[in-house]
Amino acid sequence: MLEQCWRDLCYASRGLRQSRAFVATTVLTLAVGMGLVTVVFAIFNAYVLRPFAVHDPYSLYAVRWQAQEAGGATFRWRDFQDLQTRQDLFEDVVAESTRTVSSNGRQMSIGFVSANYFAALGPRLRLGRSFVADDAPTPRSEPGASLTDQAWTRFFDRDPAVLGRELEANGRTLTVIGVMAPEFVGLDDVPRDAWVPLTMLGALGGGDPFSGEQPRQLRLTARLRGNVTPQQAQGSVALEPFATRVAGRLDAVRAVLQPQTTPTRLTLTNYALLSPVFAAFGLVLVAACANASNVMLARANARHREIGIRLSIGASRGRIVRQLVTEGLVITTLAGLVGLTLAAALLRLATYAFVVMLPPTVAARVRFVPLDFDYRVFGFAFIVAGAATLLFA
């Protein structure tokens, strides 16, 4: 069987080399459809399937709270401290609060994070180091700041000597101590420009999380222990009762854990939004396969004599069909390679055009993740090539 498949491939290659116009037409037709579908999947992969570039992202869960009359995702400092004590459920719990500040006339998004933030998540560094508790031991002390790769470009033009330089934020001075790798911009839909210790939140325009009132402004992310399920953790965490609008009544509050593995979670709403997009681009591929099949039918009409001779000397109909499908597979492989090249070029062009067209203030709030082709994209392209072969060949 392997020898017959090899002979089919050799024969298909020889025949296609003699029909270059046919090959060019079908390859380019299929490449456009496959390239566009691959572009859509690459974006879907980057935002929905590819996990955050941190240590063990599949064990990360966003902590929310739910009461009878209310719900939310922000907590007090004492809530964070209580969850940190539950070492039987969580390996780590980190806290973050985001504020937009002014830096020399430009807007900058800062993540105010707990001292264990980088140690718990473990993102990769590009330059320098991430901060620790000693970088801001007391509230309102002058802290170190870790920049994103995007902020390094925007504020310092990728200066390799950025470490130790100062960055102004709402009249306070931040000292750059590190630059994160390009793939890490935080655990939220809105990208960060920098991270500083949570002790600076009150000094840079936020409510003081350590005051007696302790405003509810911290988002918590927990890493579950390997032997604990989200349902077990939710049932074991006790939160402060929630004061309702009904005088004198306190509603019980329960914790809710939501997976925080990727930038965008797959919910029913997201399914409803994405399905028409995939359907539309899928129809483009179907149309390309239909056009390719018409071209192959026209070529088959010109091969009546060849096929008749092969039947007369003993070839079975199944053998001839297999030969024609093999030719389609060779064409699809070529189209897939061209389609991947086209998809990569379209992604770079679209990203550049998108960034250029967006106002700087809006671009700073848009989360850009690397749209590199990983094994998922190549695997998807391989499946699409196989499906296309069956559709048109």
Side-chain angles (χ1 to χ4, degrees):
M1 185 182 64
L2 291 176
E3 183 180 358
Q4 288 178 352
C5 290
W6 175 250
R7 287 179 178 177
D8 288 342
L9 285 172
C10 293
Y11 183 81
S13 299
R14 288 197 303 270
L16 294 176
R17 281 201 301 268
Q18 297 172 2
S19 305
R20 295 180 181 178
F22 161 75
V23 172
T25 302
T26 51
V27 165
L28 291 178
T29 300
L30 290 170
V32 171
M34 296 172 69
L36 291 176
V37 172
T38 304
V39 165
V40 175
F41 181 81
I43 298 174
F44 177 80
N45 173 63
Y47 284 90
V48 180
L49 299 182
R50 185 186 298 162
F52 287 115
V54 298
H55 169 67
D56 190 15
Y58 297 99
S59 64
L60 293 179
Y61 289 84
V63 184
R64 301 178 61 89
W65 60 270
Q66 187 70 48
Q68 182 176 348
E69 295 186 0
T74 54
F75 293 84
R76 302 182 182 92
W77 174 255
R78 57 177 174 266
D79 298 323
F80 168 59
Q81 289 180 311
D82 290 342
L83 289 181
Q84 276 194 313
T85 62
R86 297 304 306 269
Q87 297 296 317
D88 57 323
L89 302 175
F90 308 116
E91 290 186 7
D92 288 294
V93 182
V94 299
E96 180 176 11
S97 184
T98 307
R99 293 292 184 275
T100 299
V101 302
S102 175
S103 177
N104 296 322
R106 291 182 290 184
Q107 297 296 307
M108 182 170 63
S109 176
I110 292 184
F112 299 86
V113 296
S114 54
N116 65 332
Y117 185 82
F118 290 106
L121 297 181
R124 192 167 61 87
L125 283 161
R126 181 71 176 265
L127 294 173
R129 63 178 178 85
S130 57
F131 63 79
V132 294
D134 292 338
D135 290 311
T138 59
R140 300 177 182 271
S141 59
E142 299 297 338
S146 296
L147 301 180
T148 62
D149 187 83
Q150 182 177 337
W152 180 34
T153 302
R154 192 156 66 97
F155 291 97
F156 295 100
D157 198 24
R158 305 191 72 82
D159 180 7
V162 67
L163 301 181
R165 293 184 59 176
E166 294 182 345
L167 187 65
E168 186 267 336
N170 280 4
R172 302 298 296 263
T173 300
L174 307 177
T175 303
V176 178
I177 63 172
V179 177
M180 308 308 297
E183 62 268 17
F184 184 73
V185 291
L187 298 178
D188 201 359
D189 294 335
V190 179
R192 308 287 180 265
D193 289 313
W195 291 272
V196 300
L198 191 58
T199 52
M200 284 296 296
L201 181 56
L204 292 179
D208 188 355
F210 312 105
S211 64
E213 182 64 23
Q214 290 195 7
R216 195 186 300 273
Q217 59 183 340
L218 303 180
R219 290 184 305 278
L220 306 183
T221 300
R223 186 187 298 281
L224 285 182
R225 291 199 171 275
N227 58 345
V228 179
T229 66
Q231 293 74 21
Q232 290 174 336
Q234 290 176 174
S236 302
V237 171
L239 299 175
E240 285 189 14
F242 182 82
T244 66
R245 292 188 296 270
V246 180
R249 194 180 81 183
L250 295 177
D251 279 349
V253 180
R254 64 185 181 91
V256 179
L257 299 183
Q258 295 180 343
Q260 197 166 8
T261 304
T262 62
T264 304
R265 293 194 306 116
L266 273 179
T267 61
L268 292 177
T269 302
N270 290 336
Y271 272 123
L273 292 174
L274 294 174
S275 296
V277 177
F278 272 105
F281 281 89
L283 289 176
V284 173
L285 178 61
V286 171
C289 291
N291 292 333
S293 67
N294 289 333
V295 176
M296 291 196 74
L297 282 173
R299 183 169 184 259
N301 286 331
R303 299 174 66 185
H304 277 168
R305 185 169 181 273
E306 171 201 339
I307 293 175
I309 293 174
R310 296 180 67 187
L311 286 172
S312 66
I313 61 176
S316 65
R317 294 183 182 274
R319 182 74 173 78
I320 292 177
V321 169
R322 192 179 70 187
Q323 176 62 51
L324 296 177
V325 172
T326 301
E327 292 182 7
L329 181 61
V330 173
I331 291 172
T332 312
T333 301
L334 295 174
L337 295 175
V338 177
L340 282 174
T341 304
L342 177 64
L346 286 176
L347 281 175
R348 284 195 291 268
L349 179 62
T351 302
Y352 175 77
F354 190 65
V355 172
V356 170
M357 292 173 58
L358 281 179
T361 55
V362 177
R365 307 293 294 174
V366 176
R367 182 188 186 97
F368 291 102
V369 299
L371 298 178
D372 303 330
F373 286 3
D374 57 13
Y375 70 94
R376 296 184 190 87
V377 177
F378 284 107
F380 176 81
F382 177 79
I383 294 173
V384 167
T389 303
L390 296 178
L391 277 174
F392 82 86

